[in-house]
Amino acid sequence: MLDQTLYKWYSLEWFTPTAFKSFDWEFFFVLYAIPLVLLLFVMKWLIGSKIKQKLPVALPKKELSKHWTSYLRFIPNALMALALILLLTALARPQRTNEQVEQWSEGIDIALVIDISESMQIEDFKPNRLEAAKRTARTFIEGRQQDRIGLVIFSGDAYSLSPLTTDYELLYKFIEEEIDFNKIENRGTAIGSAIAVGTNRMRESEAASKVMILLSDGDNTAGNIDPITAAELAAAYDIKIYTIGIGKEGKVPFGKDFFGRPNYVENTLDETTLREIAKIGSGQFYRVSDNQALANVFGLIDEYEKAEIKETRYKNTTDFYAIYLSWGIVFFILYLLSKSTFISNILED
């Protein structure tokens, strides 16, 4: 930023490279005419040297010498050239623009409801279902802005791990350190209770949009509230529910035997209930069978549930053409004065 003293029009700092680089030019193309001004005066001198009037002098050539004062005759032309260059600079409209941008969004409240039951240790996802879900949840959080996000975990019971917060670093810490298979002692899959806990977290929310993302790999086998009833309760609070069924059907690897060979167990998933929950919650149901599919689903939800970002721009533009116009007028006046002095070439003028 240039020093405030530059705002005095007569400061020579206006002609430094720093000053010119700080400008935006409204009519930058006008500056291309400046070389033409210089070319015009060069042509005037070349043509003038051929056709100008000459005064015959009857003196030997060896007695003729050029006095330094003869170069003063170039001053009027130099003053006129400077005046024209400065006027063109003023016409190009040098400006400085100070633009301020204010952005805000109403934000979305999102509850991530993650199944941590024993079956989430199955290794059809790498390294297992739960670790894949944790990594994807972290990536999802990283892509959000201004949204409050909460964490709910469940197996035989449901537990609110984190309230709705914009402290994403805290959420990352919870995901890495707090979500594991031993966090809840009771075994089973309490889908209805998990939805109820998530709803309880968001029921007093005043956000423009409230979203619950439920991720589970099994049937509802525990808890004290039916999943459909819990979904209807969430819908009453205008909470949209996305459900994700994780895992392949049929035999899936689960641990290894004494010889290091993978054990296989039969996997089942109550897809019908998860579909009905999503329907009641005006959301969508997804079935995923590998890490990439899970990441793709979270990517889709991320696109669907974007908060509208509003933007207000304040643009303050200051013109500085008057600086160069003033200098141009000064040099033009000096040109006119020089025409009335001894340095003017009376043979040409």
Side-chain angles (χ1 to χ4, degrees), residues 179-197:
I179 298 181
D180 61 53
F181 303 107
N182 300 316
K183 194 67 178 179
I184 298 174
E185 293 183 0
N186 292 345
R187 301 306 179 187
T189 306
I191 295 176
S193 296
I195 295 173
V197 171

Side-chain angles (χ1 to χ4, degrees), residues 265-310:
V265 297
E266 192 72 28
N267 183 67
T268 60
L269 173 68
D270 187 2
E271 186 173 308
T272 302
T273 299
L274 292 180
R275 285 185 180 277
E276 186 63 22
I277 291 170
K279 182 179 178 180
I280 294 170
S282 301
Q284 294 188 48
F285 165 76
Y286 300 95
R287 179 70 184 268
V288 296
S289 57
D290 56 44
N291 295 58
Q292 187 58 53
L294 180 60
N296 291 342
V297 165
F298 268 89
L300 284 173
I301 297 173
D302 184 49
E303 289 298 319
Y304 293 153
E305 300 299 332
K306 284 292 188 185
E308 180 182 1
I309 298 177
K310 301 178 181 179

Side-chain angles (χ1 to χ4, degrees), residues 210-246:
K210 292 176 283 188
V211 175
M212 185 184 299
I213 302 173
L214 171 69
L215 189 148
S216 180
D217 71 343
D219 305 336
N220 185 69
T221 59
N224 52 15
I225 183 171
D226 177 69
I228 301 303
T229 303
E232 292 172 344
L233 179 64
Y237 286 101
D238 296 320
I239 299 172
K240 182 186 289 187
I241 304 176
Y242 291 94
T243 57
I244 302 174
I246 184 170

